[in-house]
Amino acid sequence: MAAFKGDGLKEGLENALTLHQRLGLTPLVNAAGTFTPLGVSRSSPVVAAAVAEALQGFFVIDELQAAVSRAAAQATGAEAAAVTHCVAAGIALAVAAAMTGGDPAKVRALPDSSGMPDRVVLPAGHAVDYGHPLLTDIRLAGATPVLAGSQQRCHLAQLDAALAGPRTAALLLVSSRLVVGEPLDLAAAVAAAHRRGVPAIIDGAAQDLRVETLLATGADAVLLSAHKYLAAPTAGLLVGRAAFVAAFRAQDRGIGRAMKASKEALVGVLAALSERGRLDRAAWCRDQHEKVARMTRHLRAAGIDASAVPDPAGMPLERVRVSVDASKGPDATALAVQLKSGTPSIRVMEHEVVQGSLLFELVPLAAAECELIVERLVRALRRPPVSN
Ligand SMILES: *Cc1c(COP(=O)(O)O)cnc(C)c1O
């Protein structure tokens, strides 16, 4: 029997090791949110099994795209949907769809945009950097970004003046906590574009639980990262008007080839959409709220300044904010370094370190991981005992 032979035993032991142990990788507790450099999200066993099965078969890709289109349309109320590699790719392909209308000769020509409308208007505060500049995604299609207004604010009149320019291909809006400046009424911005006969695209990458609200703006297309809160394999999901989706799909014969959706991504997205359809949203929100409340309670009981903060972009979830007093212990930057350098390495949101705070997103974390975060914070922030 294999188990009694030396080789078999060694193999058995090797199988008992985790992937991180086998490959010598850093074990992580990711409280930094749906963050690309850390693997974004955790798929469920059902989604993982669907992906494994997909990897072992052949498929007519158009049939898988059609199946996702039906499932996403049913889930969101949009007319149709399509999948590409990710939202960064999706922005480039949505811009290409607006520029070409799906015309085969124009599709083949891009990114050479000679003779096509090539200006993509966006409010200046929407030109975010989510690890690279969003403007790069526009330029990848051969288009030129045109910023309206300032970082502080973009009035509708400024947006309209930019949309009125010649060769305007599309309006691009972003719904994200990364957007800066005075909030813009997205529905009014979409209406302004439509009055000029310009299609409107919304990047709602991490906003899938608000997709109905984003579609209700009247936008022609909304882009969602399937690997963020939907927890599918890496994929960009475009939902919107059927004609726009068709022009988007047509890019497969042009720049879209370099950004294709894999068979395993398509099958994984289908499984994740089906799981989302069965989700009891109210119960999910209650669970997330309770997880955040419990951690906040435990930290406060240990004398740590902790509070629950809602998502600034309106996703139905909260995060834990821990604020430190640098005169009494490590400052926020030093605390983040301390959490990162332990085992497992705890990664957190660091965009408020200047204000003395760290943020913790708990959505994908198990109870034991939340407890570990509390333990490590208590250890790091416990005052050194007063001598004598
Ligand atoms: C994450 C994100 C993206 C990129 O999404 P990918 O699917 O990872 O390419 C684009 N825009 C915003 C606002 C994001 O948060």
Side-chain angles (χ1 to χ4, degrees), residues 34 36 40 85-91 128 130 132 134 137 174-179 203-206 224-228 234-237:
T34 53
T36 296
V40 195
H85 183 69
C86 60
V87 166
I91 293 168
V128 300
Y130 57 82
H132 87 163
L134 178 129
D137 305 329
V174 179
S175 177
S176 163
R177 62 183 180 81
L178 302 173
V179 165
D203 168 6
L224 308 170
S225 288
H227 44 287
K228 289 186 174 173
T234 303
L237 185 61

Coordinates of all heavy atoms in Angstrom, one line a residue, residues 34 36 40 85-91 128 130 132 134 137 174-179 203-206 224-228 234-237, ligand 1:
T34 N -10.6 44.6 -1.2 CA -10.5 43.9 -2.5 C -9.3 44.5 -3.3 O -9.5 45.3 -4.2 CB -11.8 44.1 -3.3 OG1 -12.1 45.5 -3.4 CG2 -13.0 43.4 -2.7
T36 N -5.9 44.3 -5.4 CA -5.3 43.4 -6.5 C -3.9 42.9 -6.1 O -3.7 41.7 -6.3 CB -5.2 44.2 -7.8 OG1 -6.5 44.5 -8.2 CG2 -4.4 43.5 -8.9
V40 N -7.2 40.0 -4.1 CA -8.5 40.5 -4.2 C -9.6 40.0 -3.3 O -10.2 40.6 -2.5 CB -9.0 40.5 -5.7 CG1 -10.2 41.5 -5.8 CG2 -7.9 41.0 -6.7
H85 N -11.3 40.6 -19.4 CA -10.4 40.1 -18.5 C -10.5 40.7 -17.1 O -10.4 40.1 -16.1 CB -8.9 40.3 -18.9 CG -8.0 39.8 -18.0 ND1 -7.8 38.4 -17.7 CD2 -7.1 40.4 -17.1 CE1 -6.9 38.3 -16.7 NE2 -6.5 39.4 -16.3
C86 N -10.8 42.0 -17.0 CA -11.0 42.7 -15.8 C -11.6 44.1 -16.1 O -11.9 44.4 -17.3 CB -9.6 42.9 -15.1 SG -8.4 43.9 -16.1
V87 N -11.8 44.9 -15.1 CA -12.4 46.3 -15.4 C -11.4 47.2 -16.1 O -11.9 48.0 -16.9 CB -13.0 46.9 -14.1 CG1 -13.3 48.4 -14.3 CG2 -14.3 46.1 -13.7
A88 N -10.1 47.1 -15.8 CA -9.2 47.9 -16.5 C -9.3 47.6 -18.0 O -9.4 48.6 -18.8 CB -7.8 47.6 -16.0
A89 N -9.4 46.4 -18.4 CA -9.6 46.0 -19.8 C -11.0 46.4 -20.2 O -11.2 46.9 -21.3 CB -9.5 44.5 -19.9
G90 N -12.0 46.3 -19.3 CA -13.4 46.7 -19.7 C -13.5 48.1 -20.0 O -14.3 48.5 -20.9
I91 N -12.8 49.0 -19.3 CA -12.8 50.4 -19.6 C -12.3 50.7 -21.1 O -12.9 51.3 -21.9 CB -12.0 51.3 -18.6 CG1 -12.7 51.2 -17.2 CG2 -11.9 52.7 -19.1 CD1 -11.9 51.7 -16.1
V128 N -9.2 58.6 -11.3 CA -8.6 58.0 -10.1 C -7.4 57.2 -10.5 O -7.1 56.9 -11.6 CB -9.6 57.2 -9.3 CG1 -10.8 58.0 -8.9 CG2 -10.1 56.0 -10.2
Y130 N -6.1 53.6 -9.2 CA -6.4 52.4 -8.4 C -5.3 51.4 -8.5 O -5.5 50.2 -8.4 CB -7.8 51.8 -8.8 CG -7.8 51.4 -10.3 CD1 -7.3 50.2 -10.7 CD2 -8.4 52.2 -11.2 CE1 -7.4 49.8 -12.0 CE2 -8.5 51.8 -12.5 CZ -8.0 50.6 -12.9 OH -8.0 50.2 -14.2
H132 N -2.9 51.9 -10.9 CA -2.4 52.6 -12.1 C -3.4 53.7 -12.5 O -4.5 53.7 -12.0 CB -2.1 51.6 -13.2 CG -3.2 51.3 -14.2 ND1 -3.0 50.7 -15.4 CD2 -4.5 51.4 -14.1 CE1 -4.2 50.5 -16.0 NE2 -5.1 50.9 -15.2
L134 N -6.4 55.5 -14.2 CA -7.5 55.1 -15.0 C -7.4 55.7 -16.4 O -7.9 55.1 -17.3 CB -8.8 55.6 -14.3 CG -10.1 55.4 -15.0 CD1 -11.1 54.7 -14.1 CD2 -10.7 56.6 -15.6
D137 N -6.3 53.4 -19.2 CA -7.3 52.4 -19.8 C -7.9 53.1 -21.0 O -8.2 52.4 -22.0 CB -8.3 52.0 -18.7 CG -7.7 51.4 -17.5 OD1 -6.6 50.8 -17.6 OD2 -8.3 51.6 -16.4
V174 N -17.0 57.5 -12.7 CA -16.5 56.5 -11.8 C -17.3 56.6 -10.5 O -17.5 57.7 -9.9 CB -15.0 56.8 -11.5 CG1 -14.5 55.7 -10.5 CG2 -14.2 56.7 -12.8
S175 N -17.8 55.4 -10.0 CA -18.4 55.3 -8.7 C -17.5 54.5 -7.8 O -17.3 53.3 -8.0 CB -19.8 54.6 -8.8 OG -20.3 54.5 -7.5
S176 N -16.8 55.2 -6.9 CA -15.7 54.6 -6.1 C -15.4 55.5 -4.9 O -15.5 56.7 -5.0 CB -14.5 54.4 -7.0 OG -13.4 54.1 -6.2
R177 N -14.9 54.8 -3.8 CA -14.4 55.6 -2.7 C -13.2 56.4 -3.1 O -12.8 57.3 -2.3 CB -14.2 54.7 -1.5 CG -13.1 53.7 -1.7 CD -13.0 52.8 -0.5 NE -11.9 51.8 -0.8 CZ -10.6 52.1 -0.6 NH1 -10.2 53.2 -0.2 NH2 -9.7 51.1 -0.9
L178 N -12.6 56.1 -4.2 CA -11.4 56.8 -4.6 C -11.6 58.2 -5.3 O -10.7 59.0 -5.4 CB -10.5 56.0 -5.6 CG -10.1 54.6 -5.1 CD1 -9.5 53.8 -6.2 CD2 -9.2 54.7 -3.9
V179 N -12.9 58.4 -5.7 CA -13.3 59.7 -6.4 C -13.1 60.8 -5.4 O -13.4 60.7 -4.2 CB -14.7 59.6 -6.9 CG1 -15.3 61.0 -7.2 CG2 -14.8 58.6 -8.1
D203 N -17.7 53.3 -14.4 CA -16.8 52.3 -13.8 C -17.3 52.2 -12.3 O -17.1 53.1 -11.5 CB -15.4 52.8 -13.8 CG -14.4 52.0 -12.9 OD1 -14.9 51.0 -12.4 OD2 -13.3 52.4 -12.8
G204 N -18.0 51.0 -12.1 CA -18.4 50.7 -10.7 C -17.7 49.5 -10.2 O -18.4 48.6 -9.6
A205 N -16.4 49.4 -10.4 CA -15.7 48.2 -10.2 C -16.0 47.5 -8.9 O -16.2 46.3 -8.9 CB -14.2 48.4 -10.4
A206 N -15.9 48.3 -7.8 CA -16.1 47.6 -6.5 C -17.5 47.9 -5.9 O -17.7 48.0 -4.7 CB -15.1 48.1 -5.5
L224 N -18.2 46.2 -13.7 CA -18.0 45.6 -12.3 C -16.9 44.6 -12.4 O -16.7 43.8 -13.3 CB -19.3 44.8 -11.9 CG -20.6 45.6 -12.1 CD1 -21.8 44.6 -11.9 CD2 -20.7 46.7 -11.0
S225 N -16.1 44.6 -11.3 CA -15.0 43.6 -11.2 C -15.6 42.4 -10.6 O -16.1 42.4 -9.4 CB -13.9 44.1 -10.2 OG -13.1 45.1 -10.8
A226 N -15.7 41.3 -11.3 CA -16.3 40.1 -10.8 C -15.5 39.5 -9.7 O -16.0 38.7 -8.9 CB -16.4 39.1 -12.0
H227 N -14.2 39.8 -9.6 CA -13.3 39.2 -8.6 C -13.3 40.0 -7.3 O -12.7 39.6 -6.3 CB -11.9 39.1 -9.1 CG -11.4 40.3 -9.8 ND1 -11.8 40.6 -11.1 CD2 -10.5 41.3 -9.5 CE1 -11.3 41.7 -11.5 NE2 -10.5 42.2 -10.5
K228 N -14.0 41.1 -7.2 CA -14.1 41.9 -6.0 C -15.2 41.3 -5.1 O -15.1 40.1 -4.7 CB -14.2 43.4 -6.3 CG -12.9 43.9 -6.9 CD -12.9 45.4 -7.1 CE -11.5 45.9 -7.5 NZ -11.5 47.3 -7.9
T234 N -10.8 36.2 -11.7 CA -10.5 37.5 -12.3 C -11.3 37.7 -13.6 O -11.2 37.0 -14.5 CB -9.0 37.7 -12.6 OG1 -8.3 37.4 -11.4 CG2 -8.7 39.1 -13.2
A235 N -12.2 38.7 -13.6 CA -13.0 39.0 -14.7 C -13.6 40.4 -14.6 O -13.9 40.9 -13.5 CB -14.1 38.0 -14.9
G236 N -13.9 41.1 -15.7 CA -14.6 42.3 -15.8 C -16.0 42.1 -16.4 O -16.0 41.5 -17.5
L237 N -17.0 42.5 -15.7 CA -18.4 42.3 -16.1 C -19.0 43.6 -16.6 O -19.0 44.5 -15.8 CB -19.2 41.7 -15.0 CG -20.6 41.2 -15.2 CD1 -20.7 40.1 -16.3 CD2 -21.2 40.7 -13.9
Ligands
LIG1 C1 -10.5 47.9 -8.8 C2 -10.9 49.0 -9.6 C3 -10.7 49.0 -11.0 C4 -9.9 47.9 -11.7 O1 -10.6 46.7 -11.6 P1 -10.0 45.4 -12.2 O2 -11.1 44.5 -12.5 O3 -9.1 44.8 -11.1 O4 -9.2 45.7 -13.4 C5 -11.1 50.0 -11.8 N1 -11.7 51.1 -11.2 C6 -12.0 51.1 -9.9 C7 -12.7 52.3 -9.3 C8 -11.6 50.1 -9.0 O5 -11.8 50.2 -7.7

